[in-house]
Amino acid sequence: MNAVDGEICYSISDFNVDPVALNDLPDLLRQDETNITMANPQLYLSINNPLAGYSLDASSGLTLTACREDGSRKPYSLDAGELINIGHNAGIAGPYKFCLAPDPSAAGSFEGFANAVPVRYQGLGNVLSGNGLPSTIEVSFDDPKVGPGKVSNFAVPQTLQKLEGVYKFYAPLNLGVNSKIVYDEVTDGWSDETLDKVTIEKLKLGATVSNSLPFDIVLSGYPVDEQGNQCKDLATGKPVGLGSITVRAGETSSIELESTGTITGLDGVRYFATAVVTKDGVTLRPDDTIKLTGIKATVSGFYIDEL
């Protein structure tokens, strides 16, 4: 027997995609408290169909899993009822092109993917969301298969081409509403024999802040001891902060933060720059930065030493 007639449903195996590593993003976006949602990112696919010559269609689901360094994993699959449905009208080689996005109608046309078939994928905008960015994103095609469909005069035996394709992930950092960016840094090493004997009643931290981000940032901080712990008020035992101040988008400002409470054992300060996006479509550029220069601390209090 050299050929058969009947119905075919062929499950596809070994259709694997290497995980996407997120190792080239700026430190600004890699802080533990940063939470980013994207406004309409787009995943473009170009795939062949090994059985198109027999007028068979193919289909697959898709899941992206955000993997973080703490071992946590969060999957995001296509919307309910959505599939990547690969036709047969363009032959085996195709290519059959798709645009997966929260709103494919607003995706425009990415170079090389004109007339891509839209597939709604609401979860794509949340793949980066959570406490800090994921370290990798795993890509898995769910139940990929050719058919079911009727065939006539299907040659056997037969070696089929592999299901192959390429993808492009187009995701300019158009941040969604309530995206949160938190950048923190510690300036320390101040402790010495003299400062250790000073009881500080007031600590002032001055700096020049350049904010080239397209949204306002709030600067805050607190004093730390040699162990990196937040200093506590000697009278109440409560943590001592430095207050907060807002620096407007695109501005450079001289700022001063001031503590309330009496402390000892000062070794430095930990400061934070926090931004919360209040409207969709705010875009980050590669050269957007937050810079603090001319950091200067002044203290007032009293010094006690033994003669």
Side-chain angles (χ1 to χ4, degrees), residues 191-200 263-266 301-307:
S191 178
D192 60 22
E193 290 184 1
T194 300
L195 187 58
D196 289 347
K197 296 174 182 177
V198 176
T199 298
I200 299 170
I263 62 173
T264 57
L266 177 68
F302 54 90
Y303 175 86
I304 298 178
D305 198 4
E306 295 183 1
L307 299 176

Side-chain angles (χ1 to χ4, degrees), residues 22-23 30 32 66-73 131-136:
L22 301 178
N23 53 11
R30 303 193 68 86
D32 290 342
C67 305
R68 289 179 164 76
E69 292 180 353
D70 62 5
S72 63
R73 298 164 54 84
N131 292 329
L133 293 180
S135 55
T136 59

Side-chain angles (χ1 to χ4, degrees), residues 88-169:
H88 61 267
N89 60 302
I92 293 174
Y96 301 89
K97 300 176 181 180
F98 303 88
C99 173
L100 287 63
D103 183 5
S105 64
S109 180
F110 190 73
E111 183 179 356
F113 286 88
N115 301 316
V117 175
V119 180
R120 189 168 293 277
Y121 192 1
Q122 294 285 350
L124 188 60
N126 296 318
V127 170
L128 300 184
S129 66
N131 292 329
L133 293 180
S135 55
T136 59
I137 298 174
E138 293 181 354
V139 183
S140 60
F141 287 87
D142 305 327
D143 191 26
K145 61 187 177 184
V146 176
K150 291 183 178 181
V151 295
S152 164
N153 199 33
F154 184 86
V156 290
Q158 181 172 164
T159 301
L160 299 175
Q161 291 187 17
K162 287 185 177 181
L163 180 64
E164 298 177 318
V166 297
Y167 70 91
K168 299 289 184 181
F169 187 36

Side-chain angles (χ1 to χ4, degrees), residues 132-245:
L133 293 180
S135 55
T136 59
I137 298 174
E138 293 181 354
V139 183
S140 60
F141 287 87
D142 305 327
D143 191 26
K145 61 187 177 184
V146 176
K150 291 183 178 181
V151 295
S152 164
N153 199 33
F154 184 86
V156 290
Q158 181 172 164
T159 301
L160 299 175
Q161 291 187 17
K162 287 185 177 181
L163 180 64
E164 298 177 318
V166 297
Y167 70 91
K168 299 289 184 181
F169 187 36
Y170 180 66
L173 284 174
N174 294 329
L175 304 184
V177 171
N178 295 323
S179 291
K180 182 180 180 182
I181 294 176
V182 180
Y183 180 79
D184 73 273
E185 191 168 326
V186 177
T187 299
D188 57 12
W190 299 354
S191 178
D192 60 22
E193 290 184 1
T194 300
L195 187 58
D196 289 347
K197 296 174 182 177
V198 176
T199 298
I200 299 170
E201 296 176 318
K202 187 76 68 178
L203 168 65
K204 293 183 179 180
L205 180 69
T208 298
V209 182
S210 297
N211 174 23
S212 69
L213 300 176
F215 35 74
D216 299 347
I217 59 173
V218 176
L219 289 171
S220 60
Y222 55 77
V224 298
D225 60 22
E226 284 191 274
Q227 289 72 46
N229 299 317
Q230 185 172 1
C231 294
K232 295 182 179 180
D233 182 29
L234 295 178
T236 66
K238 295 181 178 180
V240 172
L242 291 171
S244 64
I245 192 167

